[in-house]
Amino acid sequence: MFNRLCIIGVGLIGGSIARSARQQGLCNNIVGYGRKQDEKNLQAAKRLGVIDDYTLELAEAVQGTDCVVIATPVASIESIFSQLKPLWSDDAIYTDVGSTKGSVIAAAERVFGRVPDNLVPAHPIAGAEQSGVIASVGDLFVNKRLIITPVGNTQPEAVQKIQGFWEGLGSLVSVMEVQHHDSVLAATSHLPHILAFALVDMLGHKDEQSEIFQYAASGFKDFTRIASSDPTMWQDICTANKDEIIPLIEQLKDELDKIQCLLENDDSQQLFATFTYARNARQRFLDQFNTN
């Protein structure tokens, strides 16, 4: 599908893309790019056979490539665009893996004056708590959702090629508008991470924290698992998508206030109704998830 694939940021996601692309025969050559401080990780990527070679020079990395994947944190994408601007090629397709798409589009507009028509924003809904190329795996995207968010001037052929690439990696590809993506992900991913971080932060600051964690049941472990995620990455994501997240936090506050009021008034009947509705709603989600 691609002759030369350039991965900017060979971490968990970038490394997994490279592993899977090689396994599925979707490219002939893979080059990784990173900063000087990333060199040990890049050396590991080459030693493990994740990439064929790496360079610390962006011009060298993108030379002759027909696909460039930006797999860096969302906060750094504008800087990457600025570095790519003088090197941008009409003969290549550019894409990213950022968890927020509005910020990517805005960054492209600031750097280029408009969104380049060969830039195809994308977001694989897959990951793990670990980071770095050591954590990368070849089947990370199998049967996982991948959302493409083209804009009005995005080349249809570029969209089709990126869609085919991700389907080749095993992803279930959807196409949606940028704002809709950010709204959906704020509710299904970003807010849950904030809740997990907030709960563990609250309990961790209690004097009896050691006893709390000692006697926590498996449900606590399951609920707070995502609080083990990379704090820097999630700081970037939440900041980039704050306009969608803040209204959800306000709605959650209202829900918690409602439950607090039910408890204070000993309204067990309405509390039961609230819990029952939530349980049934989750079952509908599980049924839909299993069907998909």
Side-chain angles (χ1 to χ4, degrees), residues 123-238:
H123 175 209
I125 305 178
E129 285 70 60
Q130 299 79 24
S131 60
V133 72
I134 299 297
S136 65
V137 292
D139 60 353
L140 184 65
F141 310 109
V142 175
N143 294 324
K144 299 296 195 312
R145 290 284 182 185
L146 181 287
I147 301 174
I148 296 175
T149 59
V151 295
N153 68 314
T154 308
Q155 297 173 4
E157 315 84 60
V159 173
Q160 291 173 5
K161 200 152 189 180
I162 290 300
Q163 178 170 346
F165 177 74
W166 279 103
E167 287 175 345
L169 301 184
S171 297
L172 308 173
V173 178
S174 300
V175 179
M176 66 176 61
E177 294 181 351
V178 171
Q179 193 277 332
H180 185 51
H181 167 277
D182 287 357
S183 176
V184 169
L185 269 293
T188 58
S189 176
H190 307 164
L191 183 64
H193 276 81
I194 289 174
L195 291 176
F197 282 125
L199 178 60
V200 177
D201 179 69
M202 180 189 77
L203 296 180
H205 282 91
K206 286 185 172 294
D207 293 336
E208 64 273 35
Q209 61 167 291
S210 59
E211 191 172 47
I212 289 173
F213 294 139
Q214 179 181 353
Y215 291 101
S218 59
F220 177 83
K221 181 180 178 182
D222 292 340
F223 180 78
T224 60
R225 175 186 61 81
I226 52 179
S228 296
S229 302
D230 183 358
T232 300
M233 180 182 76
W234 281 98
Q235 173 196 349
D236 292 347
I237 291 171
C238 292

